[in-house]
Every structure is written in C-alpha cells, then in structure tokens.
Amino acid sequence: MKKIFTLIAVAAMALTVNAQTTVFSATPLTTLGANWDTPTGETEITATYAEIAGGKMYTINQQDAAKQMIKKQGNEYAFQCTNNNTFFKVVLDEALQAGDVISVRMQSRTDTDLGLFFDKNDSRPSETSTSIILATASEQAWGDAPTYTVAADDAICGEKTFYIFRATGKSTYFNTFKITRSSTTGIQGVQAEKADAAAYNLAGQKVSENYKGVVIKNGKKVVK
C-alpha cells in the first residue's frame, strides 16, 4: 500500500507578518478657530490645540514676547517654527529605535527649500544630518516631505526626548508629525508529522496498525 503522509505543518516553514505601529503622532486641531499666542518658555501642547498620541509635545519660545506657534497657514492649522528661538520638544513614551521612520507634512514655498531637523539637545546646532528637507515648489502648497529613517548612530537614537528645529532661515510650517515602527512576528520552524509513522508498545516493541492498546507514535502516547 502506498504510504500517505499527512502534513501537520511544513518543516522549517516560517509564517511572518510585517506590522507597522505608530510610535508618536501630532496634528493641530482643524477646529481651533484662532491662532495660539504661545507664551515665553516651555508650554505643553494640550488636547485644546492638537491631537497627540504616544507621548507629549511642547512649544519652546525663547523670545521676549508670545509667538504664534500654532496658527492657520493657508487653509490649514500648523505647528510653526518662526525663527531659531521658537522650536518644539517631543517626549516619547518609547525611546526611538534604529529603523523608526519620521514623516512630516509641510508647506512648501517658491523661494526656498524648507526643512526640519532633530537633535537631543535644546540648543539649535549649526549642522545636523538628522533632517527632513522639502524642496522648493512651483507654488506654495502643502505636501508630504521625504521621510527620515533613524540610524543606529544618530544622536537621537535611543532617546525619548528630542527637539524639532527649523532647518532654514525661513518660517517653517508643518501640520503632521509622525513616527512609525515596523516589526515582524511569526511562527518559525514548525516540524512536519507523519500520519503513518511506526508505532511501539510500552515495552518498546514495534507493533502493527492492528495492535490494540496504548502505543507510542511520533513521540506521543496514543490509545488505539
């Protein structure tokens, strides 16, 4: 009789699923109705002004007077870095990891490339590699900037707290700031099991398929 094998699972098969989770997100409310005159110093951005998940976000205003750091720009409300002394602080629930992707929706301009860069220190550095730059557009409009992927040797990698600065000498507006993380889950190395494997009695003797009683088959006790 031809042997027939019933596969419980394919040996060494890996069932994997790529999942993307949101580590952090921040978006100004579309229903503000008025610009926010942000006071001098550090101020938490509450649910009155923005939807924030995965941590907290603060305005840092080092000017002598209030500045509008969330304001309507065109038809949309946005976070605004008006100059080098107005920027944002992000405190994450989970530390940044290598491979995390930062995405930003920004307003482009016709006269200059605009951008943001990130640093773990609260003073604006003169140069940085952790930046997102949105190229000059033919007309002023909102659009998705190129994403930035956190590298293992970045200063912000492994940090829960970092700062968002404008990367140019122009006022910079962004209304979506998001960090996502990819992960792979799965079942590895499931072994195949043979339905017609040899059976043995409790004395270790091989028995036929017609044997009645307790047998050992595929390493398990089976009652026949």
Side-chain angles (χ1 to χ4, degrees):
M1 179 178 177
K2 184 178 181 180
K3 293 184 178 180
I4 300 175
F5 295 89
T6 302
L7 296 180
I8 304 302
V10 178
M13 179 186 73
L15 175 63
T16 60
V17 178
N18 290 320
Q20 188 177 75
T21 58
T22 298
V23 177
F24 180 84
S25 64
T27 306
L29 296 181
T30 59
T31 56
L32 279 179
N35 298 334
W36 182 26
D37 290 319
T38 310
T40 299
E42 180 179 306
T43 306
E44 182 178 354
I45 303 173
T46 65
T48 303
Y49 303 103
E51 293 181 357
I52 297 174
K56 295 182 178 180
M57 189 168 174
Y58 302 81
T59 58
I60 307 291
N61 177 10
Q62 296 178 341
Q63 300 286 94
D64 294 331
K67 300 292 290 185
Q68 292 181 345
M69 295 184 67
I70 297 182
K71 65 174 294 185
K72 196 166 189 178
Q73 183 67 7
N75 295 323
E76 304 185 32
Y77 281 96
F79 302 113
Q80 178 186 211
C81 295
T82 58
N83 53 48
N84 293 347
N85 294 321
T86 56
F87 49 96
F88 294 88
K89 174 183 176 181
V90 174
V91 180
L92 303 174
D93 291 339
E94 300 179 42
L96 281 168
Q97 297 180 8
D100 285 353
V101 176
I102 301 174
S103 57
V104 179
R105 187 168 183 268
M106 298 174 58
Q107 188 182 67
S108 62
R109 293 176 60 143
T110 59
D111 58 342
T112 187
D113 292 351
L114 292 180
L116 301 171
F117 64 74
F118 322 110
D119 198 90
K120 67 178 182 178
N121 299 310
D122 63 356
S123 57
R124 186 180 188 276
S126 58
E127 294 183 7
T128 180
S129 60
T130 57
S131 62
I132 287 177
I133 302 296
L134 184 63
T136 301
S138 57
E139 61 182 50
Q140 190 165 315
W142 284 98
D144 293 328
T147 57
Y148 180 81
T149 301
V150 178
D153 58 352
D154 284 347
I156 59 174
C157 188
E159 298 290 332
K160 283 189 173 183
T161 300
F162 66 95
Y163 297 84
I164 305 173
F165 302 90
R166 70 175 190 174
T168 66
K170 300 283 186 177
S171 292
T172 302
Y173 305 93
F174 61 101
N175 68 356
T176 300
F177 186 87
K178 192 173 185 179
I179 304 171
T180 56
R181 178 176 298 161
S182 295
S183 60
T184 302
T185 59
I187 303 171
Q188 302 286 337
V190 179
Q191 298 297 316
E193 187 174 280
K194 297 180 181 179
D196 68 342
Y200 300 85
N201 62 21
L202 296 182
Q205 299 168 324
K206 188 174 181 179
V207 296
S208 70
E209 288 296 319
N210 297 324
Y211 181 86
K212 301 298 181 183
V214 178
V215 299
I216 306 298
K217 189 174 184 179
N218 288 319
K220 301 175 183 178
K221 287 185 179 181
V222 180
V223 179
K224 298 186 66 178

